[in-house]
């Protein structure tokens, strides 16, 4: 299958590292112009240079902005008024005892993980429907379905994101625009490495720590290893393409078999 995104413009939020960076690189390799997003312009510029170098392209460009705020979203939209492919990857996570999560922390997680996506969908979906083509992808998590005891605030926001995706898919029905969620399983990123060491012995080597984490905290995984960011990006690139024209309103799993379900 040849994925051809030539002539399309994509925005990948939170794409200066990890899953977001891998998605930006994959979309660029498929031919799209890709806005790389992060809060700090210097970090964004460094990521743009890095992705363009590793993909041997010049398709990535800087799209900085703090998307957890209305002003940041408006500023980004002023500089990037038209997007064909929107990938809402921005998200925060961390371990905290359930009874110790304060109201402000709940609000912060909802603002970053949910409202940032809602604002951008409201910004770009009307243009997509007017043009008769578009892709919206919200990067969710296995934690949306299997709420982790150690981070229920994170899991709950990702559950909300599944509802956001389904609802906006209905609002754009019959328009040529698809809206989907991608349920990513436990993935190896810098942030996840830090998270793993919150839960296992910091004296363990990374390979030992990863195995111990999966054994103790993610025993449902059929893959029995952390997923690589590029494996998430492969599915996102497909769902961003014309090849996925009949997939909308879906929560598509790339979770290593973590969620114990026979449904997608």
């Amino acid at each position: 299958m040849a994925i051809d995104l030539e002539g399309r413009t994509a925005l990948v939020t939170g794409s200066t590292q990890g899953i977001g960076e891998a998605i930006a690189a994959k979309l660029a390799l498929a031919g799209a112009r890709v806005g790389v997003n992060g809060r700090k312009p210097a970090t964004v510029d460094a990521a743009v240079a890095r992705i363009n170098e590793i993909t041997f392209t010049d398709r990535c460009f800087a799209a900085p902005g703090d998307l957890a705020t209305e002003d940041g979203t408006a500023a980004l939209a002023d500089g990037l008024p038209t997007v064909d492919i929107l990938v809402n990857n921005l998200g925060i996570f961390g371990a905290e005892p359930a009874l110790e999560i304060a109201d402000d922390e709940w609000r912060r997680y909802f603002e970053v993980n949910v409202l940032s996506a809602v604002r951008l969908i409201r910004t770009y979906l009307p243009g997509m429907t007017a043009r008769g083509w578009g892709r919206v992808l919200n990067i969710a998590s296995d934690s949306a379905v299997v709420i982790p005891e150690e981070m229920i605030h994170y899991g709950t926001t990702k559950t909300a994101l599944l509802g956001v995706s389904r609802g906006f898919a209905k609002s754009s029905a019959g328009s040529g625009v698809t809206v989907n969620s991608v349920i990513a399983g436990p993935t190896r990123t810098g942030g996840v490495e830090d998270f793993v060491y919150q839960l296992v012995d910091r004296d363990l080597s990374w390979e030992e720590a990863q195995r111990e984490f999966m054994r103790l905290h993610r025993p449902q995984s059929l893959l029995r290893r952390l997923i690589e960011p590029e494996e998430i990006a492969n599915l996102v690139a497909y769902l961003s393409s014309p090849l996925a024209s009949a997939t909308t309103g879906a929560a598509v799993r790339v979770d290593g078999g973590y969620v114990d379900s026979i449904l997608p």
Side-chain angles (χ1 to χ4, degrees):
M1 284 192 303
I3 295 176
D4 183 4
L5 299 176
E6 194 72 36
R8 303 297 186 186
T9 298
L11 170 64
V12 184
T13 68
S15 48
T16 60
Q17 61 182 340
I19 293 173
E21 181 176 344
I23 291 170
K26 187 66 67 173
L27 297 181
L29 284 170
R33 291 180 65 249
V34 184
V36 175
N37 166 258
R39 287 181 300 166
K40 299 178 180 178
T43 303
V44 172
D45 289 342
V48 167
R50 185 168 61 248
I51 299 169
N52 281 340
E53 181 179 2
I54 64 175
T55 59
F56 299 99
T57 72
D58 60 356
R59 296 192 180 107
C60 287
F61 60 92
D66 183 357
L67 302 180
T69 69
E70 294 181 55
D71 289 346
T73 302
L76 183 145
D78 285 344
L80 184 59
T82 301
V83 164
D84 302 299
I85 300 164
L86 171 62
V87 182
N88 285 310
N89 171 73
L90 177 64
I92 54 175
F93 64 93
E96 193 166 353
L99 295 177
E100 297 177 15
I101 305 170
D103 286 1
D104 284 346
E105 191 72 345
W106 276 100
R107 292 187 189 100
R108 184 171 76 96
Y109 268 70
F110 192 82
E111 193 81 36
V112 175
N113 292 359
V114 183
L115 280 182
S116 68
V118 170
R119 291 190 191 102
L120 286 172
I121 295 170
R122 286 199 314 246
T123 299
Y124 291 116
L125 189 61
M128 294 180 186
T129 56
R131 293 187 299 273
W133 197 93
R135 298 287 184 265
V136 176
L137 291 160
N138 296 315
I139 306 303
S141 166
D142 56 82
S143 296
V145 183
V146 185
I147 304 292
E149 178 185 355
E150 72 276 5
M151 50 179 185
I152 65 170
H153 51 340
Y154 170 75
T156 300
T157 59
K158 289 301 183 177
T159 306
L161 206 54
L162 300 185
V164 166
S165 303
R166 182 68 184 178
F168 278 110
K170 291 180 178 180
S171 77
S172 56
S175 67
V177 178
T178 66
V179 184
N180 293 292
S181 297
V182 172
I183 296 180
T187 305
R188 180 179 182 178
T189 64
V192 167
E193 290 185 16
D194 292 339
F195 173 67
V196 165
Y197 277 117
Q198 289 180 8
L199 299 174
V200 303
D201 187 349
R202 289 185 178 274
D203 291 332
L204 295 175
S205 70
W206 168 246
E207 289 305 319
E208 292 172 326
Q210 176 182 201
R211 287 195 298 271
E212 186 73 353
F213 170 77
M214 296 301 286
R215 183 181 70 82
L216 294 177
H217 299 283
R218 299 294 184 268
Q220 307 97 308
S221 172
L222 303 183
L223 202 59
R224 296 187 178 178
R225 64 168 173 82
L226 289 173
I227 298 164
E228 295 298 323
E230 292 76 15
E231 294 175 301
I232 309 295
N234 289 336
L235 179 59
V236 172
Y238 166 72
L239 291 171
S240 299
S241 77
L243 299 174
S245 56
T247 303
T248 190
V252 186
R253 290 165 51 196
V254 56
D255 66 345
Y258 177 79
V259 177
D260 192 8
S261 171
I262 60 174
L263 296 175

